[in-house]
Amino acid sequence: MKKRKLCLVGNGMAGVRCMEEILKLAPDLFDITIFGREPHPNYNRILLSSVLAGDADIRDIVLNDWNWYEQNGITLYTGETVTSIDAEQRNIYTDCGRVESYDDLILATGSLPFMLPLPGIDKEGVIAFRDINDCKTMMEASKTYKKAVVIGGGLLGLEAARGLLNLSMDVSVVHIFDNIMERQLDPVASKLLQSELEKQGIRFLLEKQSAEILGDTRVTGLRFADGTAEEADLIVMAVGIRPNAALAQESGIEVKRGIVVNDYMETNIDHVYAVGECAEHRGTVYGLVAPLFEQGKVLAKRICQMDAAPYEGSTLHTKLKISGVNVFSAGEFMDTSDTRAIRVHDEWEGVYKKVLVRDDQVVGAVLFGDTKDSTRILEMIRTNATISELQRVAILQNLSSSSGASELDYVAAMSSDEIICGCNGVSKGTIVEAIYEHGLNSVEGVKKCTGASRSCGGCKPLVANLLQCVLGDQAQTSNQKEPICTCTTLSRDELVREIQEKCLTSVREVMHVLDWTEPEGCSKCRPAINYYLNMVFPELHEDERESRFVNERMHANIQKDGTYSVVPRMYGGVTSPAELKKIAEVAEKYQVPLVKVTGGQRLDLLGVKKEDLPNVWRDLDMPSGYAYGKAIRTVKTCVGSDFCRFGTQNSIQMGIDIEKAFERLDTPAKIKMAVSGCPRNCAESLIKDIGVVGIDGGWEIYIGGNGGVHAKVAQLLCKVKTNEEVMEWVGAFLQYYRENANYGERTSAWMERIGLSSIQRALENTETRRELNYRIAAALGVLSDPWQDIIQKENIRQLFENVAVNV
Amino acid sequence: MKLEIMQLEQLPVHTGRVIQVFGHEIALFRLGNGKIRAVENRCPHKGGPLAEGIVSGDYVFCPLHDWKICLADGNVQSPDTGCVKTFQTEIEENRIYIMIEPQEQGERRESLVPEQGLVNQK
């Protein structure tokens, strides 16, 4: 049978998702061609804000990579725009002069950002927030410019603003109404959100109508209708989107606001369909992801000539994707004369929940601060559930009733057709079926197989709970199971167990014995395996230089221009005139462009040429400060009792002792430490992986602090009396972290994952601490200063030299 | 033109070395399967020195932002795009040779200063 020719215009989420459905239903029915204007494969547009916020890389958000198109025999033209359709001859024409015929044609042209027609709109630095290119423009602009203004206080505008804030820009959000996100939130939730975002650093200019963009070639500011103005080096327009329906309109297809479709996504022209943001269904144009996927399913069945239930519209719901801010809205959200509300407003915890009820039926909800119930409430709205199914509100519920067990009960009690993944419309039944049929035991597996949690990722915990419900203990370990990289299906724990049980002693052997799909691994797994081997068999495994990241191979920190930075060890941040002279001489001799004091109280020589490194080390004649590695970094100290009139303990000596005891040690991720001589904490001990604080008659040991992207205050591990006990506890904690954390996982993230109390329980036994210290001593025993080693070894020193070929 | 670069044992497996010739800066690699690869030492993304990347199979991962580049044809792997220039190489009697024409002028990285020449034209 000859295949039918199916063309898709638009290589975005809605269209490609529909294609996936079609391939699932009838893999051999069609000869498929896809046209995309952007030069990328299909990516997750919803997660662009995460890319901007620095939480994800562009490659992380690709949904279907180039291989997917190839494997499914799809012809893909990217960077090519379809310019017209001849519906009579069934041909389409592109801007590259291509003519393609079709039997069936799907239009999934999405939408275009709406640009306010302001004077000065064409100036440099005025952009929308819609695609990867806009994202790149913003990231680029943040390097040179300081002041960003986002026009539009809706979902997209706020996510753009948060992203720009992460890029260290000053951000103001301009909004024409007095409430932000007024299309999803009631005034109470809106004001709560605004004050939370103001705390994070976003400025709001409300009830401001933009009038003119100021500047010569590049934007310098924005003037408002009331005569005031705001400075701006970058203006991001996020006032809304409009369906991209021009192509359809010019080709004689019926268009109102969007391309008009019936309940089966058919346009008024035979064999032409439309799906997604470009389509108008029963007078509604949807701009959120879940409806697009529901439409795609209906269309897939229709186009494969199978019976399909008609598409009857979607309940709108949305979540704001800003980390640390939980906002959810679904269905109706404004009180009206015929609705009644169930409201909880906990100003103490910053939680606001409102469920709107009409005639005993749940018709909408707004949640702020705590969105755990969002899936359940959405399902109630969808199924027109009555409030009799709602639990009575209890003030200050007992803590134990909100523990993990009740979450499991909740997922167990869900009916099989209840939706778990709202974005992709995946029901509990579908997931359970897939778990049994394909032997799945991980969230990742469920995601790959069913699509659940593939879009916004909000339902991951629910999927994990469901896995545990279905598989019990089998999923227990695999509950958080994520393969360490795409070369293997093994999780970190499984890998370490295999190394121990099979006594594997080289990266090569690990990959060979454990069936790695890439025989030599990748940049993710190679350094990880090398670390685990060193950790399990410190004396047996010979460290593998070629599996180390450049910094740990060169023992210096690579900079953007290919030069390196050199930080010599200064125990406890203490130096001497002689040492300072030596450093100054080296800096002059090798024309080091920048000498800087680091955050960890060290001196950093920046811009050293690769070929100079061994000589710089030789002349410095100081130990490596390991400022480049996943290793013990620095111990920062305050002046302490020797000089300080408040000091209760000798923090300098304690810092030096700790640093000397554990220097050179490899750890899953970098370890920063600090010792303060009194609770005033001048050494900032509470934002370190390990912070030691002197108190009258003893010390407090804090763990899991972090001063970086995800700032976190350290938590108290224990109080001890003597200096020896400090060393014993620090050693035991370090080794416990080395043996249990994932490679690359900082103590703060690790502690968040496993809990402070589990660490305290593990370390409370004296005997366990002794054993841990015994093992850490073994690991330290095989280490020596890498700088001196390289100076001694001619064959390695040679690798730092460039080879000039003279002709 | 065929130029001798270095002895085979001067190039450890999986560790890149930087070669300067005719104004080109070239990253030279010895793969796990014994093959020698040579590409321009500049990632098309931000100019990262590819010679310092982790080598796996026929690929190198740029040390700056982890772009994956095929050493056989120079193509950047998806989802990133681009291409680096590749050069033919040969091994003869434990010596490594590179095929390169004098008129192919490369882009020179300013921060790296050429060392004294180690080998001569054959």
Side-chain angles (χ1 to χ4, degrees), chain A residues 178-182 185-195:
Chain A
D178 61 345
N179 284 313
I180 56 172
M181 267 182 81
E182 81 288 344
L185 299 182
D186 64 358
V188 180
S190 171
K191 286 298 166 199
L192 282 168
L193 175 63
Q194 182 185 338
S195 101

Side-chain angles (χ1 to χ4, degrees), chain A residues 66 520-521 523 526 610 803 805, chain B residues 18 20 52 55-57 66 78:
Chain A
W66 304 108
E520 294 185 349
S523 56
R526 283 256 298 278
K610 180 174 86 170
V803 180
V805 181
Chain B
V18 179
Q20 284 160 335
E52 319 302 341
V55 186
S56 164
D66 209 32
S78 81

